[in-house]
């Protein structure tokens, strides 16, 4: 059977944040899973980099692994630091900006169709 979670070692411990590296002036991403009901991606943002306002088709949970980000949900800014998480509700506009260099795991869960 093919692995449902890709690009990561299986059956061994690993440093999750270490699986994606920072690049100057960029947002770097590594897709871990992309299925009809769920998606999971690791991100590394250089300081000041951002993803502009958009809405997702499912609830999106951002888990910050390193650094800090400002995540605006429906226009309200939230500072999220290492070890913290926030959920951006389905269909609600949100944006992400790196307050410092930061890494996050993003998990998006969509309704079954």
């Amino acid at each position: 059977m093919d692995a449902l979670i890709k690009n990561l070692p299986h059956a061994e411990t690993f440093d999750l944040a270490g699986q994606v590296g920072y690049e100057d002036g960029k947002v770097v991403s590594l897709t871990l899973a992309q299925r009809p009901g769920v998606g999971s991606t690791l991100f590394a943002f250089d300081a000041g980099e951002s993803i502009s306002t958009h809405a997702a088709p499912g609830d999106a949970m951002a888990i910050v692994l390193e650094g800090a980000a400002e995540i605006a949900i429906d226009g309200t800014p939230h500072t999220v630091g290492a070890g913290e998480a926030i959920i951006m509700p389905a269909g609600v506009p949100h944006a992400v900006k790196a307050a410092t260099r930061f890494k996050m795991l993003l998990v998006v869960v969509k309704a079954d169709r």
Side-chain angles (χ1 to χ4, degrees):
M1 179 162 122
D2 290 334
L4 297 175
I5 297 176
K6 61 184 183 176
N7 298 318
L8 294 175
H10 285 223
E12 64 184 77
T13 60
F14 58 91
D15 173 18
L16 183 59
Q19 302 304 304
V20 64
Y22 295 111
E23 291 187 29
D24 292 341
K26 293 185 179 180
V27 176
V28 178
S29 66
L30 177 67
T31 300
L32 305 181
Q34 193 63 50
R35 300 286 177 181
V38 67
S40 181
T41 307
L42 275 174
F43 286 92
F45 285 66
D46 194 17
E49 293 301 311
S50 62
I51 295 176
S52 61
T53 302
H54 64 284
D59 286 346
M61 181 169 60
I63 305 155
V64 177
L65 306 171
E66 294 179 357
E70 181 178 284
I71 298 178
I73 301 172
D74 207 17
T76 301
H78 303 270
T79 300
V80 187
E84 297 180 322
I86 192 165
I87 296 174
M88 298 160 278
V92 176
H94 57 271
V96 179
K97 183 171 184 180
T100 65
R101 279 187 154 191
F102 91 101
K103 294 181 181 181
M104 75 172 176
L105 173 62
L106 181 69
V107 178
V108 179
V109 179
K110 299 173 252 184
D112 289 338
R113 299 204 184 250

